Amino acid sequence: MFPEGNTLPNRNYEAKMIICPMGMEYKKIHACPNDYTLYRKDFELLKSCPRCGLSRYKLKQKDDDIIEDIENHGPPMKVMWYLPIIHRMKRLFANPNDAKNLR
């Protein structure tokens, strides 16, 4: 998939160490485990997916096999990283020579 010598970071920490020094900001957006809904804008306060009904947060199993939903306190089931395009474009056009070539 990648040319030789290029690999994906194994951990979240390694990915942050690549992105942050480059001045690229990112936003974390909670997502439905089945990829139906992004919990932002109108869906930001929902605790379950309106289409499939799965919980937004991971479930915690107690000792007596009762599954409890950890609302607003536990980690989300799935998180999407969004890299805003505006910051990337500003970075590309910051150098006048590169900006001339990009146009």
Side-chain angles (χ1 to χ4, degrees):
M1 183 170 154
F2 293 105
E4 287 187 31
N6 291 326
T7 58
L8 288 173
N10 291 332
R11 299 179 317 187
N12 188 19
Y13 177 75
E14 292 173 4
K16 281 185 184 179
M17 297 311 296
I18 293 170
I19 291 175
C20 291
M22 293 172 44
M24 295 177 64
E25 297 179 10
Y26 63 91
K27 296 179 183 178
K28 290 183 179 180
I29 301 172
H30 296 183
C32 171
N34 292 331
D35 300 324
Y36 290 127
T37 305
L38 293 177
Y39 295 105
R40 57 185 287 261
K41 295 185 179 181
D42 295 338
F43 302 113
E44 192 169 0
L45 300 176
L46 294 179
K47 293 182 172 90
S48 62
C49 178
R51 184 167 177 191
C52 66
L54 286 177
S55 174
R56 174 180 182 169
Y57 300 100
K58 290 184 179 178
L59 300 175
K60 180 180 178 182
Q61 189 168 3
K62 289 188 171 185
D63 295 335
D64 53 353
D65 295 335
I66 298 173
I67 297 175
E68 178 184 351
D69 192 5
I70 308 172
E71 296 178 1
N72 298 328
H73 300 292
M77 288 277 226
K78 194 176 217 180
V79 177
M80 179 191 81
W81 281 30
Y82 171 66
L83 300 169
I85 189 78
I86 293 171
H87 298 290
R88 300 174 89 185
M89 296 301 278
K90 283 182 182 178
R91 187 158 179 86
L92 285 172
F93 283 93
N95 184 344
N97 294 330
D98 291 342
K100 182 180 175 183
N101 293 331
L102 287 169
R103 284 191 216 131

